[in-house]
Amino acid sequence: MNLRRWLTVGIGVKRWLLIAFAGLLVLAVGVAHFLRQVTSDLAPASAAMSVMDFVTLQFLPFNVRGLAAAVLGVGLFGIGAYKLVRALVDPFALWDRDQPMVEVIYQKRFLARGPRVVAIGGGTGLSTLLRGLKEHSSNLTAVVTVADDGGSSGVLREELGIPAVGDIRNCIVALADAEPLMSRLLQYRFPGSEPEGPPEPGLPPVRGAEQLSVGLGGHAVGNLLLAALVELEDGDFEEAVREMNRVLAVRGRVVPASGTVLTLCARLRDGTEVEGQSRIARSDDVDTVWIRPDTVRPAQDALAAIGEADIVVIGPGSLYTSILPALLVPGISEAIAASGALVVFACNVATQPGETRGLDLADHVDALARHDLAHLPDIVLANNRFDAMAPEGSLAEPVRLRWPPASTGAAGPRLVLDDVVDPENAHRHDPLRLAAAILGVWAREGGRGRRANVARVGRAS
């Protein structure tokens, strides 16, 4: 298995080994020529000639000598080259020693040539997407929503005055090279009841671990680690996330959509207004959402990544509480519209009880249109396999394939259908299938060459 990986195209090792081997062959020819000159005057029965006959394998049949010398030479060269590279690299190794060195070289060299992908959203859907994409490219940026106000994230947000950290933690876990171990560590929750939501409003946010009044019960280690980094960076949330990327050495990077504490608000179809991500997620018939305050600023890392992207993937994830809150941060949608990237909207494979109950494929795009965002996607990617196993007792149902949306008409995005569902769970994407479908669309749309900038604003509804 390791030998096949060493021979992988693009890993950047074989060419230099061949050049080194060719140099050894030239050196061998030179040594042979020198020996021929030196031994030409030696007496046939002398001791020096006997030693030379032994060194040159004269005791073997003529047709075996060359093969034996070649096998011995290649073997010694291979062992020497491997040991030399290992001796040079090992002192600087930061990876798990149980992981073969060739896997590390493959990841750093081959995956570094992958497309530049920006994934926007949050929740389980974004983490699933990242797990698949990291097998194809290390040029990944997750732009993560920070609107969560429930559970551990919500309590830390209210107590310490920092944006929500839960989705950022989940994405960092998904991009970690040592994912199983990293997941066990960062997702570990201290014993005790998990916080159900933020404290009562009206209390001023405070910063400082000494003022954390809720204790450790129910808090995830990753949330507390990020909160500590914010303190170490004097309250700079964006810099704290950068440091967490570096400390945990993830494949790609995770950035917040904004470094500002924001609140998600929604208007239901009956006119009722709801405040708070956790409450909106449990609400039926959501019509529109918006974020407060008006002074929310986008993260500069997010804008820079979108501007350099080959592919921008919107979703999958909770439509109203993960995807739209990230897109509604001022500057994010404008950066997507101005980019030369292929923009793919990865629609959910199943509805969510509450916020998207009963919505079909066209309804998801119509929801984007109600927020003046339907002009962004070039492609809508949806699942067309409906025989996957549904979790017992779940109230969710597969997203029906009604198309086209009423809000976009012929000028809307192009629909692409593919088998992207997890066969064992009809309510989840399969990470590898989803990533393969997105990269397949990108390859058909022009491969590695970035497209010319397109005026997406002209397609807005």
Side-chain angles (χ1 to χ4, degrees):
M1 179 62 185
N2 284 350
L3 179 60
R4 289 200 300 271
R5 181 66 87 193
W6 278 114
L7 298 178
T8 302
V9 175
I11 200 171
V13 172
K14 300 183 300 298
R15 70 193 72 172
W16 305 116
L17 289 178
L18 288 175
I19 290 175
F21 190 67
L24 289 179
L25 287 178
V26 173
L27 177 62
V29 171
V31 172
H33 183 70
F34 174 76
L35 290 177
R36 182 177 180 182
Q37 290 179 323
V38 170
T39 60
S40 60
D41 296 331
L42 293 178
S46 65
M49 195 63 186
S50 297
V51 172
M52 192 59 61
D53 288 343
F54 179 80
V55 172
T56 56
L57 307 178
Q58 296 299 313
F59 57 89
L60 293 177
F62 180 79
N63 57 349
V64 178
R65 296 174 197 165
L67 177 61
V71 171
L72 180 61
V74 170
L76 291 175
F77 175 77
I79 294 173
Y82 177 81
K83 293 295 185 180
L84 174 63
V85 172
R86 195 67 188 251
L88 293 174
V89 173
D90 268 3
F92 306 99
L94 299 176
W95 60 84
D96 184 354
R97 296 291 178 166
D98 294 331
Q99 185 179 16
M101 181 177 60
V102 64
E103 290 294 334
V104 178
I105 296 176
Y106 169 76
Q107 293 169 9
K108 301 301 181 183
R109 293 295 300 273
F110 186 77
L111 295 181
R113 301 178 183 180
R116 291 163 294 205
V117 185
V118 172
I120 301 176
T124 304
L126 184 58
S127 300
T128 299
L129 172 65
L130 296 175
R131 287 188 177 93
L133 288 174
K134 76 176 184 180
E135 300 302 323
H136 299 271
S137 176
S138 59
N139 298 314
L140 304 176
T141 301
V143 178
V144 186
T145 181
V146 289
D148 190 6
D149 65 350
S152 171
S153 293
V155 172
L156 292 175
R157 159 187 162 138
E158 292 295 328
E159 291 286 335
L160 303 181
I162 62 175
V165 296
D167 285 344
I168 292 175
R169 180 197 76 238
N170 290 331
C171 291
I172 287 178
V173 168
L175 288 178
D177 282 329
E179 185 181 340
L181 175 61
M182 194 66 68
S183 177
R184 288 173 56 197
L185 173 62
L186 297 185
Q187 307 286 41
Y188 174 77
R189 292 185 182 274
F190 289 97
S193 59
E194 181 178 355
E196 296 182 356
E200 290 298 321
L203 297 177
V206 294
R207 288 186 33 232
E210 71 280 358
Q211 297 173 336
L212 185 60
S213 62
V214 295
L216 296 179
H219 283 287
V221 169
N223 291 357
L224 297 178
L225 175 60
L226 187 48
L229 284 171
V230 174
E231 291 296 316
L232 292 175
E233 297 299 331
D234 298 323
D236 189 334
F237 185 76
E238 294 180 44
E239 183 61 28
V241 176
R242 291 189 200 104
E243 290 298 329
M244 194 164 183
N245 281 279
R246 284 193 283 267
V247 168
L248 301 179
V250 299
R251 194 183 308 178
R253 60 176 177 159
V254 178
V255 303
S258 173
T260 307
V261 178
L262 56 86
T263 300
L264 184 66
C265 305
R267 180 178 294 105
L268 309 185
R269 292 180 184 174
D270 63 3
T272 303
E273 293 190 358
V274 181
E275 181 176 306
Q277 181 268 348
S278 57
R279 297 178 180 88
I280 295 170
R282 299 191 297 268
S283 300
D284 291 328
D285 299 324
V286 178
D287 183 61
T288 56
V289 295
W290 64 94
I291 57 176
R292 294 191 290 105
D294 296 335
T295 55
V296 171
R297 299 175 62 86
Q300 292 304 308
D301 288 350
L303 299 182
I306 292 170
E308 297 172 356
D310 296 309
I311 314 169
V312 172
V313 184
I314 300 172
S318 301
L319 178 62
Y320 291 106
T321 55
S322 290
I323 296 175
L324 285 172
L327 294 176
L328 291 176
V329 172
I332 296 292
S333 63
E334 291 82 358
I336 297 173
S339 74
L342 176 71
V343 182
V344 179
F345 174 49
C347 187
N348 293 337
V349 297
T351 61
Q352 291 180 260
E355 63 180 282
T356 60
R357 180 179 59 86
L359 298 191
D360 56 28
L361 177 60
D363 290 330
H364 281 73
V365 178
D366 286 336
L368 295 181
R370 289 196 299 275
H371 298 82
D372 296 325
L373 299 171
H375 61 287
L376 295 180
D378 301 298
I379 301 292
V380 172
L381 176 64
N383 174 60
N384 63 354
R385 177 178 177 177
F386 298 101
D387 61 349
M389 297 176 57
E392 185 176 354
S394 174
L395 300 178
E397 58 185 17
V399 173
R400 293 174 286 112
L401 299 180
R402 182 174 67 88
W403 193 262
S407 58
T408 60
R414 183 160 57 88
L415 176 63
V416 173
L417 300 177
D418 209 333
D419 174 9
V420 294
V421 73
D422 183 347
E424 305 298 323
N425 188 342
H427 301 163
R428 293 284 185 268
H429 283 90
D430 180 272
L432 297 180
R433 294 183 181 186
L434 177 59
I438 291 172
L439 294 176
V441 170
W442 177 64
R444 292 191 295 271
E445 293 288 328
R448 292 189 176 274
R450 295 184 68 194
R451 305 181 316 147
N453 283 353
V454 290
R456 293 189 176 92
V457 292
R459 295 209 310 262
S461 58

